[in-house]
Amino acid sequence: MDLKQSIEAAKLAIEAVSKSKPEIGIILGTGLGMLGEKIESGVHIAYESIPHFPISTVDSHAGELIVGHLAGRNVVAFNGRFHRYEGYSMKELTFPVRVAKALGIHTLIVANAAGGLNPQFAAGDIMLITDHINLMMENPLVGENDDELGPRFPDMSAPYTPELLRLAEDVALEEKIKLQRGVYLACVGPCLETRAEYRFMRIAGADAVGMSTVPEVIVAVHAGLKVLGFSVITDECLPDALQPADINKIIETANATEPLLTKIVMKCIAQL
Ligand code: HPA
């Protein structure tokens, strides 16, 4: 079965249980999980019941799609994201973005937990993603291109939609929430990085590092979607003052920051 047929089968299965026509897709990565609970009259669909959908393996990520209303808009939210380090292919882990596009979304909102490389950043800060560096050494668009899904050589001069960057900054200012801006660098993981790698990434122009988001954003751009992305800075990756990573502390920081990011995203959605 080709990609378009798989997308169509997944779309039909979702539309069979939900009549709502989503305009906005949200990937509820670490830092945005709470948003799923705020969706009104949401229909929850387990990933297992959607044809061709990958199944989440990480404990901290559930595996369901929620279609419903949020801040006055029709949304589809993905509660549980897929990572390359879990063993999914780039095509598998970006399949939800393809399905969301087929369901009718025009905008994708993504969030993640990331290590701060910019020495001005502190754990608990929120960073608006202005650009990215793909150091995953793989690309989800490799292989035969289906021109109906997007162009062979998609432009990447502004993957994060400039008008949405302005909107997020305005909202953060109104809400008096500190919002950093920066470049997100994605690597495969699952190891955290060495001091030498952090030094290299900072020199390369990155402000934050993580293990997700970039594949989904590449596919979103290919599909012609507008994109808005945020990183929750969960730890400080300073090569000359590096503390051993504490995964529990990283998750704790992400959870503590979640209400602020949820507020920003809800207000952005209301104004989209
Ligand atoms: N690297 C370092 N620190 C992090 C990461 C990462 O990928 N994700 C969250 N904190």
Side-chain angles (χ1 to χ4, degrees):
M1 212 189 243
D2 76 355
L3 179 58
K4 219 160 40 204
Q5 286 173 312
S6 305
I7 296 167
E8 188 62 19
K11 171 186 177 246
L12 289 176
I14 295 161
E15 287 178 343
V17 273
S18 164
K19 297 285 161 264
S20 167
K21 285 262 167 243
E23 315 154 71
I24 298 157
I26 312 159
I27 298 180
L28 302 174
T30 311
L32 269 188
M34 243 169 80
L35 209 56
E37 295 156 26
K38 300 205 183 287
I39 297 177
E40 293 153 28
S41 45
V43 175
H44 295 240
I45 308 169
Y47 286 165
E48 291 95 333
S49 67
I50 307 170
H52 312 290
F53 234 72
I55 290 157
S56 189
T57 61
V58 180
D59 287 351
S60 56
H61 295 269
E64 61 171 13
L65 173 155
I66 310 165
V67 194
H69 309 292
L70 187 66
R73 294 290 144 101
N74 290 337
V75 301
V76 55
F78 297 96
N79 194 9
R81 81 129 60 85
F82 307 100
H83 301 87
R84 182 71 189 93
Y85 64 75
E86 294 172 90
Y88 300 106
S89 72
M90 294 292 258
K91 286 237 178 335
E92 284 171 332
L93 70 93
T94 54
F95 186 68
V97 179
R98 294 286 183 203
V99 174
K101 162 78 183 184
L103 289 169
I105 69 162
H106 53 69
T107 300
L108 181 72
I109 302 177
V110 287
N112 58 53
L117 295 163
N118 185 326
Q120 309 268 22
F121 292 1
D125 280 355
I126 299 170
M127 183 188 89
L128 180 61
I129 306 176
T130 57
D131 207 346
H132 71 223
I133 297 173
N134 180 14
L135 263 197
M136 289 182 143
M137 306 297 178
E138 268 188 275
N139 192 298
L141 306 180
V142 166
E144 197 182 336
N145 189 64
D146 185 334
D147 293 341
E148 284 181 31
L149 297 179
R152 172 73 292 185
F153 301 110
D155 176 60
M156 282 285 159
S157 61
Y160 301 85
T161 311
E163 73 197 61
L164 299 184
L165 295 176
R166 281 192 291 274
L167 171 63
E169 291 200 309
D170 289 348
V171 163
L173 205 59
E174 277 162 28
E175 293 295 320
K176 297 188 170 55
I177 297 169
K178 180 167 83 171
L179 187 62
Q180 307 278 17
R181 291 167 61 92
V183 174
Y184 175 84
L185 182 150
C187 42
V188 168
C191 304
L192 297 180
E193 296 72 25
T194 65
R195 291 165 191 265
E197 286 165 343
Y198 287 139
R199 195 171 289 113
F200 164 78
M201 290 168 178
R202 183 67 188 141
I203 293 167
D207 295 291
V209 52
M211 306 172 192
S212 69
T213 304
V214 166
E216 292 104 315
V217 170
I218 289 173
V219 166
V221 171
H222 183 249
L225 297 174
K226 292 182 186 175
V227 176
L228 177 61
F230 299 92
S231 290
V232 172
I233 305 300
T234 52
D235 51 315
E236 293 161 22
C237 304
L238 305 172
D240 297 309
L242 193 64
Q243 302 296 317
D246 179 340
I247 295 300
N248 290 326
K249 219 163 133 199
I250 286 177
I251 293 172
E252 212 176 279
T253 305
N255 290 341
T257 311
E258 205 167 289
L260 291 180
L261 182 53
T262 301
K263 201 183 229 181
I264 294 177
V265 170
M266 295 267 292
K267 226 172 154 191
C268 285
I269 289 174
Q271 294 182 43
L272 272 174

